[in-house]
Amino acid sequence: MRELICITCPRGCHLVVDDNKNVTGNFCPRGVTYAINEITRLVRVVTSSVKLTNSVYPRVSVKTKDPIPKSKIGAVMEEINRVSLKAPVKIGDIAIQNVLNLGVDVVVTKNIDK
């Protein structure tokens, strides 16, 4: 049996997952999905920032478009730290396409004109 706190929404449901993967304590169906994924497939969305040139701002925020395996976070961060973008950038611009061949892009999360 494992106890988790769901982070899917601000409600923070206290979940209990038994050995048969039955989930209790969830307010909505997203809690069940979160709990099962958390015990079978550890993934996270990575948020960070990359260097920005041609701008008054030195960096711009980025994130993985989808969750990646938790075991790959360090390697993904190394790739993110190598990137430099040139302003202007807008939300959704791809900073790294298919990072580490994981099938996930790293995208910009802020509009910056200059």
Side-chain angles (χ1 to χ4, degrees), residues 46-52 55 57-64 80 83 85 89-96 106-112:
V46 174
T47 60
S48 187
S49 63
V50 297
K51 294 176 188 170
L52 189 62
S55 173
Y57 303 101
R59 303 186 72 79
V60 63
S61 57
V62 296
K63 72 175 190 103
T64 54
I80 288 172
V83 172
L85 299 176
V89 294
K90 64 182 187 312
I91 294 172
D93 284 352
I94 296 174
I96 305 172
V106 176
V107 296
V108 173
T109 62
K110 184 174 183 175
N111 293 324
I112 297 182

Side-chain angles (χ1 to χ4, degrees), residues 21-49:
K21 297 182 184 169
N22 296 312
V23 180
T24 58
N26 57 298
F27 183 76
C28 69
R30 293 181 297 171
V32 174
T33 303
Y34 170 79
I36 298 302
N37 283 338
E38 191 66 13
I39 64 170
T40 60
R41 189 177 145 253
L42 283 174
V43 293
R44 296 289 185 271
V45 171
V46 174
T47 60
S48 187
S49 63

Side-chain angles (χ1 to χ4, degrees), residues 4 8 13 15 19 33 56 58 61 64 66 72 77-78 80 85 87 92 98 102 112:
L4 305 164
T8 305
C13 294
L15 309 175
D19 295 336
T33 303
V56 296
S61 57
T64 54
D66 296 303
K72 300 290 185 183
M77 282 304 303
E78 288 177 12
I80 288 172
L85 299 176
N98 191 18
L102 295 172
I112 297 182

